[in-house]
């Protein structure tokens, strides 16, 4: 059993405060996803997200959340039924993923530097060109997808 580094703890909540989560340690990944599935599920041209080990995230009880699943895919998002804010999702490979904007909202509008994205995933499916210095992976191979 691995030990969780609790030196970094993030207390995050939705806009109305009904749904709260605690996230500890370091993410498994932080990236920008350009795949069509993420664009559809989150209604975004590009999805900035962090992926976490299950044991590092205190997930809210399902009874406090709305649940939306993409047709034909194992992609889910969960959020607050009162204010509508999406709090996290589950994508391949099944780990909880939390969008960058949730951390920004709970950190004075800034993404904590330790959560900065490392690459672009599924860049071959992009609808926007991004001019930055991050690696651009055409598919999901950089994270084993």
């Amino acid at each position: 059993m691995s030990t969780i580094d609790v030196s970094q703890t993030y207390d995050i909540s939705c806009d109305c405060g009904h749904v709260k989560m605690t996230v500890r340690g370091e993410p498994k990944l932080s990236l920008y996803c350009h795949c069509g599935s993420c664009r559809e599920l989150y209604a975004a041209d590009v999805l900035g997200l962090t992926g976490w080990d299950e044991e590092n995230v205190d997930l809210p009880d399902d009874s406090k959340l709305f649940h939306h699943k993409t047709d034909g895919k194992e992609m889910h998002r969960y959020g607050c039924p009162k204010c509508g804010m999406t709090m996290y999702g589950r994508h391949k490979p099944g780990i909880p993923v939390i969008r960058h904007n949730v951390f920004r909202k709970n950190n004075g509008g800034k993404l904590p530097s330790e959560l900065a994205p490392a690459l672009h995933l599924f860049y071959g499916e992009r609808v926007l060109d991004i001019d930055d210095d991050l690696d651009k992976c055409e598919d999901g191979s950089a994270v084993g997808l």
Side-chain angles (χ1 to χ4, degrees), residues 17-88:
H18 176 70
V19 178
K20 299 176 186 333
M21 296 169 47
T22 299
V23 184
R24 292 175 300 282
E26 295 182 16
K28 289 177 66 91
L29 53 87
S30 183
L31 53 84
Y32 294 114
C33 186
H34 297 265
C35 79
S37 298
C38 281
R39 289 197 317 267
E40 178 184 333
L41 186 62
Y42 292 94
D45 289 336
V46 178
L47 180 67
L49 62 88
T50 56
W52 299 84
D53 283 323
E54 190 86 32
E55 63 268 14
N56 290 46
V57 182
D58 294 336
L59 297 173
D61 184 280
D62 283 350
S63 67
K64 291 185 91 170
L65 302 169
F66 73 70
H67 173 225
H68 177 80
K69 181 183 181 299
T70 299
D71 290 337
K73 302 201 178 194
E74 284 304 312
M75 295 184 66
H76 306 262
R77 67 182 172 96
Y78 303 86
C80 177
K82 292 185 178 185
C83 67
M85 183 176 168
T86 298
M87 293 298 294
Y88 74 99

Side-chain angles (χ1 to χ4, degrees), residues 8-12 21-27 52 103 107 112 114-115:
Q8 288 294 339
T9 299
Y10 307 95
D11 292 312
I12 55 180
M21 296 169 47
T22 299
V23 184
R24 292 175 300 282
E26 295 182 16
W52 299 84
F103 288 101
N107 191 50
E114 64 274 9
L115 300 181

